[in-house]
Amino acid sequence: MELVYYPHEILRQTTQPVDSISSELKDFLKEMVQIMDKNRGVGLAAPQVGNSQRFFVAKLQNEEPLFFINPEVLYTSLEKNIYEEGCLSLPGVWAEVKRPAAITIQALNLKGKVFRLEADGFLARVIQHELDHLNGILFFDHLSEKKRELLLEAYQKVRPSK
Ligand code: ZN
């Protein structure tokens, strides 16, 4: 398993729902956690490792990883906030992005059980960033055209060669 980098086309594709939580899928998700940890990420979505299905992992510092399979958004707050975001698919660049401050999400966990999570703060931010990946959206899509151009220019100078 390897990270894929922007502008890899899979990062722009919409993902397909998972139809069964097989042992292969569980192993895949666990391997994603390892890759995320190794690269000091806090979230990683399937397209970022070349898989076009609807799942992602997230892990805050010193906490257990969370697995989100076939996630659905139930609620997003009207209140928004700004956080600096980066992305393992665009290493070396960051930008401040405005998003809803809180979110409620429903998904299947690794055991195939439905769970609901109300998140705010940094976790809400991570979840929204990863959800975007499942719809082919990247964090710089939320920036103004000017800021996006500057970010992509900077990325061209530091992007991984492969
Ligand atoms: Zn990302």
Side-chain angles (χ1 to χ4, degrees):
M1 184 183 287
E2 285 189 347
L3 289 175
V4 301
Y5 299 109
Y6 180 80
H8 195 295
E9 62 183 18
I10 198 166
L11 296 170
R12 287 308 200 180
Q13 291 167 9
T14 301
T15 50
Q16 301 303 315
V18 169
D19 41 47
S20 78
I21 298 176
S22 60
S23 56
E24 287 82 7
L25 178 70
K26 290 180 191 176
D27 290 345
F28 194 90
L29 279 154
K30 287 175 190 164
E31 203 177 334
M32 281 173 70
V33 172
Q34 290 173 3
I35 293 225
M36 178 174 70
D37 285 348
K38 203 173 103 189
N39 291 279
R40 296 194 185 85
V42 288
L44 187 65
Q48 297 183 274
V49 287
N51 183 306
S52 210
Q53 293 185 87
R54 290 189 72 74
F55 56 80
F56 67 85
V57 297
K59 190 175 155 203
L60 302 188
Q61 212 178 5
N62 302 321
E63 295 203 17
E64 290 297 308
L66 296 168
F67 299 91
F68 299 84
I69 301 165
N70 294 344
E72 281 173 61
V73 177
L74 302 179
Y75 163 84
T76 48
S77 65
L78 289 176
E79 189 200 339
K80 296 190 175 187
N81 60 20
I82 294 172
Y83 268 104
E84 185 169 74
E85 293 187 25
C87 181
L88 292 180
S89 302
L90 285 94
V93 291
W94 294 266
E96 289 192 329
V97 180
K98 194 176 190 181
R99 296 186 191 263
I103 183 169
T104 303
I105 184 175
Q106 181 172 295
L108 300 173
N109 65 16
L110 210 51
K111 290 177 180 155
K113 278 213 162 141
V114 177
F115 70 99
R116 212 173 258 209
L117 179 70
E118 288 175 34
D120 58 12
F122 187 59
L123 182 59
R125 175 56 57 134
V126 173
I127 287 171
Q128 290 176 82
H129 177 114
E130 300 312 325
L131 278 167
D132 269 358
H133 275 299
L134 303 184
N135 297 315
I137 299 168
L138 297 166
F139 75 106
F140 60 75
D141 294 331
H142 296 281
L143 303 177
S144 68
E145 204 178 329
K146 186 74 201 157
K147 285 185 179 168
R148 180 162 58 239
E149 272 173 22
L150 289 171
L151 181 128
L152 291 174
E153 247 171 58
Y155 177 64
Q156 288 310 322
K157 292 179 191 141
V158 297
R159 65 179 271 207
S161 50
K162 55 171 183 168

